[in-house]
Amino acid sequence: MALSIVVVSLATRKDSNDSSSSSSFAAPPFDREKFDRIKDRILECGISTAHSLEMSYAPQHKALTWLVGDDGRRVDLTDHDDYNEEDEGGGGGGVSATSTNEDCDLDRVLFQRYALAVLWFQTTDPVVVGTTTTTGGAAVAGAGDDSDESDEGGSYPSSNGAATYDPTTISTEEDGGVPWRTHDNWMSDRGICLWHGITCHPRNHHDVAGHPEGMFVPEMTMPIGEGVSGGRYDDDYHVSGLNLTNNNVHGALPREVFTALTRLTLLDVSRNALGGTIGGELGSLLELEGKRKKLTSPLVDRACVMVLHISEIPYEVGKLGNLFNFYINDNEFRGSIPSEMGELTNLRGASMFNNTFMGTIPDTLGNLKNLIALYLDENELSGRIPTSLGQMTSMTDLRLRRNKLTGTIPSELGDLIRLETLYLDTNPNIGGTIPSELSKLVKLAELHLYQMDLSGSLPSELGLLNGLVHLYLDTNELTGSIPDEWGEMRDLEELFLTGNNLSGVLPVTIRGLTSLHTLRAADNELTGPIPSDLGKMLNLEYVYLEENDLSGQVPSQLGQLTELKVRCFDSLASPAPRNL
């Protein structure tokens, strides 16, 4: 049979703090048999550990207690006899001694409601939050040993018929709780597909047990054939997205998020205050993994994981073969980047900047032929840039800036013919010359190579990049003159050459840079006069040419530059014209 759901009127269930409560509104005795039955099923399917369910203060125990005693939804286990005639004596949700993945899927909806309740208690109870964010030892909240230890007082709540409490009351600052910014419908009798931040996979109207078609929330749904999309409707179904970004969520992500929400394709808890780590359960996201069961979701190729304030990327990340986007930037990740990431061949975007990753960039990342964007900037990565990165032929945006990388710029990066953005700057130990092969990057719009240890001359071949908009080569040890060929870069808006050892004169061909609005070439060894043709660059706003060996006067033609705001020519002996 389908999932058993009975909605109980909230009018008969009062908060224990309500002075108007009376014995006529008392909750029924706690159903210990149901508690044990669901607990056993949770353990059989590996959703939680026995230890976490036995400790009365644990979020898992609190969540199951709420599910059995206080949840107006009244969910229960599926009667497996309806699906397996060989399973005898299971009435009321009995299970076989050995549970397969298919067996566990029959109770997946109940597991998900339980898991989300665990997440609620895990991140709003001040005692739990304080424990999970200060110990730093547990890999995943609630992933303790399956020991027999339990706290004094037993594993069950009191069955004296006390009125139910509202679990959202712990989420108040007055009570010392940790309030979420928004928690609409959480811990209510509404289906989880209407809880704030939850979206569910589409389902056909006739699949919704015990509810008419009108149960769907019309303003939140759109038809897909005969089904429903948008993922927002009043029912409990397979969760596709959990998005609690910027919601003042504290504590740690419980393991149940990864063991119960097995069809999850989007996880976004960024910009919160979560801690702890993600362990091997990451590989349990079946909808992302696509290996342990047949996938049916139309959203699997859009799989995306975004998490905040966790510690290390586990090697199990390589199991998520259908992962589409991997966003873990602005966190506290540490350790090395696992080579198993090279197995994510469907990956399109990997954003890992602003963490504390150490070690080398894995050569295996070159296997990611579908990767469009790779952000590894603002970490502590060391070693050479792998030449294998030149094999990522779909790459359009590559950012490795602000690390501790060494060696030289691989000429193989010139094979990334779709590249539009290349940030290698602020790696002061990368030396050598600028590879002329970068001139093959005909779609390149931004090239950041500043604050490095580059030497040699400026490649004249870069003049072929007539779509280049930003060229930053300042603070290096570059020598020689500015190539005449660079005057062909007609889209160039910013040219930064400050702090090098460039010599020679400013080429007359610079007038070809008709889009240029910033020219920084201070602190070099440039000589000769300033070309009068500089006055033809009508978009020029900022000119910095101080600390050179320039001679002559500042051309009066610069007075025609109506947009000019800053001009620094203090190396010239002659004063600037009055019209400047």
Side-chain angles (χ1 to χ4, degrees):
M1 64 180 181
L3 179 68
S4 174
I5 300 177
V6 179
V7 179
V8 179
S9 172
L10 292 180
T12 63
R13 301 184 67 80
K14 296 287 186 178
D15 192 298
S16 59
N17 295 323
D18 191 341
S19 59
S20 64
S21 299
S22 65
S23 59
S24 62
F25 295 107
F30 187 78
D31 190 342
R32 296 191 177 186
E33 186 276 333
K34 180 179 178 181
F35 182 97
D36 278 341
R37 178 161 35 84
I38 296 179
K39 182 182 78 169
D40 290 344
R41 188 71 178 145
I42 289 173
L43 295 177
E44 287 174 355
C45 294
I47 306 300
S48 296
T49 65
H51 180 73
S52 63
L53 285 167
E54 291 168 358
M55 309 297 286
S56 64
Y57 55 80
Q60 291 78 8
H61 186 279
K62 290 183 177 182
L64 184 53
T65 299
W66 169 80
L67 192 73
V68 172
D70 299 316
D71 181 11
R73 200 77 177 177
R74 290 293 184 265
V75 296
D76 204 341
L77 295 174
T78 300
D79 189 343
H80 289 215
D81 286 344
D82 288 354
Y83 296 91
N84 185 0
E85 296 180 355
E86 295 180 4
D87 182 13
E88 300 179 357
V95 296
S96 60
T98 302
S99 296
T100 65
N101 289 332
E102 290 74 16
D103 290 336
C104 292
D105 281 344
L106 298 179
D107 294 311
R108 190 63 61 184
V109 172
L110 179 146
F111 295 156
Q112 291 181 125
R113 195 170 178 88
Y114 159 76
L116 293 176
V118 174
L119 173 63
W120 174 264
F121 287 109
Q122 179 72 54
T123 58
T124 58
D125 188 311
V127 176
V128 176
V129 169
T131 300
T132 56
T133 56
T134 58
T135 58
V140 182
D145 296 334
D146 290 340
S147 66
D148 295 331
E149 178 185 353
S150 62
D151 61 315
E152 186 176 354
S155 302
Y156 301 104
S158 172
S159 59
N160 58 7
T164 184
Y165 73 101
D166 179 0
T168 62
T169 60
I170 67 172
S171 185
T172 61
E173 294 177 295
E174 292 79 4
D175 295 334
V178 185
W180 287 7
R181 199 165 269 118
T182 304
H183 56 80
D184 296 348
N185 293 324
W186 276 75
M187 310 304 287
S188 73
D189 64 347
R190 305 299 293 271
I192 59 175
C193 299
L194 276 185
W195 290 11
H196 170 74
I198 301 297
T199 53
C200 295
H201 286 285
R203 67 180 305 172
N204 292 328
H205 290 192
H206 58 77
D207 288 336
V208 184
H211 293 280
E213 294 183 8
M215 63 153 291
F216 295 106
V217 183
E219 67 271 17
M220 294 184 179
T221 60
M222 295 177 60
I224 291 183
E226 297 180 353
V228 174
S229 75
R232 302 280 291 166
Y233 46 88
D234 191 4
D235 197 28
D236 297 298
Y237 197 56
H238 294 289
V239 174
S240 64
L242 172 60
N243 186 348
L244 297 176
T245 181
N246 193 26
N247 203 40
N248 197 42
V249 183
H250 289 67
L253 287 177
R255 77 190 301 268
E256 288 74 13
V257 168
F258 307 102
T259 56
L261 307 183
T262 54
R263 295 192 183 182
L264 198 65
T265 59
L266 168 64
L267 173 59
D268 185 355
V269 289
S270 60
R271 301 173 63 194
N272 284 293
L274 291 167
T277 62
I278 290 180
E281 290 77 14
L282 191 62
S284 296
L285 299 180
L286 305 185
E287 200 69 28
L288 304 183
E289 179 183 350
K291 292 181 180 178
R292 292 168 56 188
K293 57 179 276 189
K294 181 179 180 181
L295 297 176
T296 58
S297 168
L299 303 178
V300 67
D301 62 340
R302 304 178 189 175
C304 174
V305 174
M306 305 180 213
V307 293
L308 176 69
H309 284 306
I310 56 183
S311 293
E312 297 181 358
I313 301 178
Y315 69 87
E316 289 89 348
V317 70
K319 297 179 180 180
L320 307 183
N322 291 299
L323 196 62
F324 195 77
N325 290 318
F326 188 66
Y327 298 151
I328 57 171
N329 52 279
D330 298 302
N331 292 292
E332 297 178 357
F333 273 96
R334 59 179 182 269
S336 59
I337 299 174
S339 60
E340 286 79 5
M341 284 203 66
E343 300 172 16
L344 305 179
T345 54
N346 288 314
L347 201 63
R348 303 297 300 276
S351 182
M352 304 163 65
F353 68 88
N354 195 20
N355 285 285
T356 54
F357 285 117
M358 305 177 71
T360 60
I361 300 173
D363 289 332
T364 55
L365 295 188
N367 298 331
L368 305 180
K369 302 295 192 298
N370 293 310
L371 195 63
I372 293 175
L374 176 60
Y375 300 160
L376 298 180
D377 39 323
E378 298 183 63
N379 282 288
E380 298 180 12
L381 296 170
S382 58
R384 303 174 70 90
I385 299 175
T387 58
S388 62
L389 297 190
Q391 301 170 17
M392 300 186 296
T393 51
S394 297
M395 182 65 60
T396 65
D397 195 342
L398 177 59
R399 307 188 185 196
L400 306 179
R401 65 193 301 261
R402 293 192 178 183
N403 278 289
K404 299 179 179 179
L405 299 172
T406 59
T408 60
I409 300 174
S411 60
E412 288 80 0
L413 295 185
D415 295 331
L416 304 178
I417 58 175
R418 298 182 180 178
L419 200 63
E420 299 175 4
T421 301
L422 179 58
Y423 292 177
L424 302 180
D425 61 87
T426 325
N427 281 290
N429 295 317
I430 291 182
T433 61
I434 300 174
S436 60
E437 288 82 358
L438 297 184
S439 64
K440 296 187 294 182
L441 306 177
V442 294
K443 294 186 177 181
L444 199 63
E446 294 190 50
L447 179 58
H448 294 206
L449 302 179
Y450 62 91
Q451 293 184 25
M452 301 172 72
D453 192 30
L454 301 175
S455 58
S457 60
L458 301 175
S460 60
E461 294 88 347
L462 293 187
L464 298 173
L465 302 177
N466 51 26
L468 197 61
V469 178
H470 305 284
L471 178 56
Y472 302 149
L473 302 175
D474 44 308
T475 317
N476 279 289
E477 298 295 331
L478 297 167
T479 59
S481 60
I482 300 174
D484 290 339
E485 292 83 354
W486 283 23
E488 299 297 321
M489 295 188 286
R490 304 189 187 281
D491 290 338
L492 195 64
E493 296 180 1
E494 293 186 318
L495 176 59
F496 286 21
L497 300 172
T498 299
N500 282 286
N501 300 312
L502 299 175
S503 59
V505 299
L506 285 171
V508 176
T509 55
I510 197 172
R511 65 174 179 260
L513 305 179
T514 54
S515 299
L516 198 69
H517 66 71
T518 302
L519 172 60
R520 293 177 178 265
D523 191 16
N524 278 287
E525 300 175 7
L526 298 174
T527 59
I530 298 175
S532 60
D533 282 350
L534 211 62
K536 298 179 180 179
M537 302 166 63
L538 300 181
N539 291 308
L540 206 56
E541 299 180 29
Y542 304 94
V543 180
Y544 299 87
L545 295 174
E546 70 274 17
E547 298 185 50
N548 278 289
D549 294 323
L550 298 172
S551 59
Q553 294 186 342
V554 177
S556 60
Q557 289 85 348
L558 295 186
Q560 303 173 17
L561 302 178
T562 57
E563 300 295 326
L564 195 61
K565 299 179 178 63
V566 177
R567 60 272 177 190
C568 296
F569 310 119
D570 60 8
S571 61
L572 292 176
S574 301
R578 291 183 178 181
N579 59 357
L580 286 177

